[in-house]
Amino acid sequence: MALPKSMRALALISALLFIYLLFLVYRAPASLHGPADKLQEMTSDPNLDPTNEPEGHLWRKDEYGADNPNAPRINATLLALVRNTEVDGMVQSMRDLERTWNSKFNYPWTFFNDEPFNDEFKRKTQAETKAKCFYELIPKEHWAVPSWINNDLFDESAQILKEQDIQYGNLVSYHQMCRWNSGLFYHHPALANTRYYWRVEPKVRFFCDVDYDVFRYMADRNKTYGFTINLYDAPQSIPTLWPETLKFLAAHPEYESKNNAREWLEDSTRRPEHHIKANGYSTCHFWSNFEIADIEFWRSKAYEDYFEHLDRAGGFFYERWGDAPVHSIALGLFEDASKIHWFRDIGYQHIPYFNCPNSPKCKGCKTGRFTDGEKFLFKEDCRPNWFKFV
C-alpha cells in the first residue's frame, strides 16, 4: 500500500537529517577549544624543535665574579615583590635561578615589600646568592588606594568579581599589587639607575642552564621585553580595559607603532567569546610573573600617559586589571614587535603553566609541556596567535 504524501515527505526529511548528523560527526571540526587548537594553528610546537642559544655574540661568565669591580655587568637587577611570609617560596625560586643562571653572572637581587623585611627574610635570601641583595620598602603613596576610588563602588565591584569566580578579585591588596606592578614600581628610588630587570616570583621553577648574560643580550639586540608564556586572560576581569585603551589611542594616535602587534591583541577567531566579553580585546597577554624588560619603556611618555589614563579610569579597582594585560597591550601597541623576544631557551614554570624547551641544558621539564593541569587549560595557550600575527 502506498504511503500518504505527508508520510513520504516526513521520511525524506528524516533521512536527510540522519545524513546531516553523520556529516557533523565525521567531518573535521571547524573549531575546537583545547589541545586540538595547537595542532590546527601551529603546524608543530616550536618547543619540540631542538632549542639552541640565540645567535650572535653572547657574553659569558668568565669575567663576572661577584667581587670583580670591572665585570661587564650592566645596570640590571633581579626583582621581586614579596612578603616576609613568602620567604620559603622565594628561596626556592632563588635557588633555581642561581643554579641555572645567576651564580655565573652575579646580578643583584632587589626585593620590594609594603612592610619592612624582617631579619629572617634577609638572612635566608642572602644565603642563597653571592650577589648583593637590597631590601626596599614601597612608599605608602605608591601602595595606597587612590583618592579618586569610591570605596562603596569598589566593595560592590569586588562582590561581583567574587560571584564571577575571578581569582583574588575581592582582595584590596591584589588590586594594589596589580596597580603597583603596572605603573609604579619603576618610580621607586632604588631603581633610579636601573635599566633592565628580571622579575621573579616565589614558588616558580627554572629548569635550564642559561650560559650567557640575558641582560647584555637584551641591550646588544635592542630588545625591550622578553617573555616565556603567552596566555588568554579572564575577560570578565577586564571588560572595559580595551574600550579605555581605544579612547586613549583616539586622543594619542601618535603613540601607536607602525610595526606593532595589534592583530594579536584584536584577534576574534580563536577565542571569539573572549573577544566579545572583553569588548574587542583577544585577552592575549604575556604572563608577567616572568618578564625581562627595559625599564625605559615604562618610563616613556607614551606608557606613562597610558598608565595615567587607565589609573584615572578606575579599572585597577572596579575591575581586576592586571599588570600582565596592561603591559602586554602597551607593548603590543606602542612598541615595534621585533623588540619583543620569546626566551624559548629558558625553562620555566609558574603553576600550572610551563615553558619547556627541547635542549640538553634542561632537566626536570618535559619537552613541549604547556601544563600538567586539567586538559581544559590547553585552550589558554595564546602562543599560536603570537606566532601567527607576529
Side-chain angles (χ1 to χ4, degrees), residues 77-83 86 89-98 101-102 107-112 121 180-181 197-206 215 287-292 346 348-350:
T77 190
L78 297 160
L79 184 153
L81 173 63
V82 58
R83 296 190 182 280
E86 297 175 299
M90 195 70 239
V91 163
Q92 173 202 298
S93 300
M94 290 183 71
R95 192 166 293 171
D96 264 14
L97 191 51
E98 286 288 329
W101 183 73
N102 199 46
Y107 275 95
W109 288 83
T110 307
F111 300 99
F112 292 96
F121 186 96
W180 187 81
N181 275 327
Y197 68 94
W198 182 338
R199 179 171 159 183
V200 184
E201 292 198 354
K203 295 183 179 180
V204 299
R205 299 295 310 277
F206 296 93
F215 294 127
W287 215 21
S288 59
N289 47 69
F290 175 108
E291 59 183 11
I292 301 174
I346 297 181
Y348 177 71
Q349 179 197 20
H350 183 297

Side-chain angles (χ1 to χ4, degrees), residues 144-278:
V145 177
S147 59
W148 56 86
I149 297 300
N150 182 298
N151 290 330
D152 292 335
L153 182 55
F154 169 75
D155 290 340
E156 292 176 13
S157 302
Q159 183 60 35
I160 292 172
L161 291 170
K162 184 177 180 180
E163 291 170 359
Q164 293 178 329
D165 292 326
I166 298 300
Q167 193 174 29
Y168 311 126
N170 62 323
L171 299 179
V172 177
S173 61
Y174 192 84
H175 294 264
Q176 292 169 306
M177 177 195 72
C178 290
R179 178 175 179 259
W180 187 81
N181 275 327
S182 292
L184 294 169
F185 78 93
Y186 51 88
H187 288 297
H188 196 287
L191 298 177
N193 298 315
T194 301
R195 179 67 186 269
Y196 296 93
Y197 68 94
W198 182 338
R199 179 171 159 183
V200 184
E201 292 198 354
K203 295 183 179 180
V204 299
R205 299 295 310 277
F206 296 93
F207 301 103
C208 307
D209 289 327
V210 180
D211 297 321
Y212 62 95
D213 184 341
V214 299
F215 294 127
R216 279 279 187 175
Y217 171 81
M218 296 283 288
D220 291 349
R221 305 305 198 280
N222 194 25
K223 300 292 184 182
T224 297
Y225 191 86
F227 72 95
T228 52
I229 296 172
N230 190 326
L231 300 173
Y232 288 92
D233 206 350
Q236 302 95 319
S237 68
I238 48 173
T240 67
L241 177 56
W242 189 250
E244 286 296 336
T245 298
L246 294 181
K247 289 181 188 177
F248 178 78
L249 282 179
H252 296 283
E254 71 277 12
Y255 289 154
E256 189 170 0
S257 171
K258 292 181 180 179
N259 183 38
N260 64 19
R262 186 163 179 167
E263 288 183 292
W264 171 68
L265 297 171
E266 291 187 308
D267 175 67
S268 62
T269 57
R270 192 160 180 267
R271 299 291 295 277
E273 72 282 7
H274 277 51
H275 186 269
I276 293 169
K277 292 178 182 178

Side-chain angles (χ1 to χ4, degrees), residues 306-368:
Y306 178 57
F307 174 74
E308 177 68 16
H309 175 89
L310 296 183
D311 202 21
R312 288 288 174 174
F316 288 109
F317 291 91
Y318 300 143
E319 298 177 11
R320 196 205 65 180
W321 294 356
D323 52 278
V326 170
H327 280 185
S328 301
I329 289 174
L331 288 159
L333 293 174
F334 309 146
E335 188 54 284
D336 189 298
S338 67
K339 294 185 177 183
I340 301 172
H341 177 67
W342 176 36
F343 276 103
R344 60 183 297 173
D345 55 320
I346 297 181
Y348 177 71
Q349 179 197 20
H350 183 297
I351 294 173
Y353 300 111
F354 292 78
N355 184 65
C356 290
N358 180 3
S359 170
K361 291 178 177 284
C362 303
K363 296 178 181 177
C365 189
K366 184 179 178 181
T367 297

Side-chain angles (χ1 to χ4, degrees), residues 90-145:
M90 195 70 239
V91 163
Q92 173 202 298
S93 300
M94 290 183 71
R95 192 166 293 171
D96 264 14
L97 191 51
E98 286 288 329
R99 173 179 53 81
T100 56
W101 183 73
N102 199 46
S103 61
K104 306 157 197 171
F105 300 98
N106 294 291
Y107 275 95
W109 288 83
T110 307
F111 300 99
F112 292 96
N113 193 348
D114 64 314
E115 299 176 352
F117 285 105
N118 60 33
D119 290 340
E120 179 190 12
F121 186 96
K122 294 177 180 179
R123 175 174 50 81
K124 286 186 174 182
T125 50
Q126 184 61 78
E128 296 299 322
T129 180
K130 294 179 181 178
K132 293 180 180 179
C133 291
F134 300 94
Y135 304 91
E136 305 294 343
L137 184 64
I138 297 172
K140 290 183 179 179
E141 62 271 21
H142 285 183
W143 196 257
V145 177

Side-chain angles (χ1 to χ4, degrees), residues 13-87:
I13 292 171
S14 299
L16 290 173
L17 282 174
F18 179 73
I19 293 170
Y20 178 67
L21 287 172
L22 287 176
F23 169 74
L24 289 178
V25 169
Y26 290 104
R27 70 167 179 162
S31 176
L32 283 176
H33 296 315
D37 277 350
K38 297 172 69 177
L39 298 177
Q40 285 181 318
E41 300 184 40
M42 292 194 295
T43 54
S44 66
D45 188 334
N47 268 336
L48 297 177
D49 299 331
T51 298
N52 299 311
E53 293 179 336
E55 295 181 354
H57 174 71
L58 299 171
W59 293 79
R60 303 296 180 177
K61 65 180 182 179
D62 299 344
E63 300 178 39
Y64 282 81
D67 300 324
N68 180 5
N70 299 315
R73 275 183 294 275
I74 59 177
N75 292 331
T77 190
L78 297 160
L79 184 153
L81 173 63
V82 58
R83 296 190 182 280
N84 288 310
T85 54
E86 297 175 299
V87 62

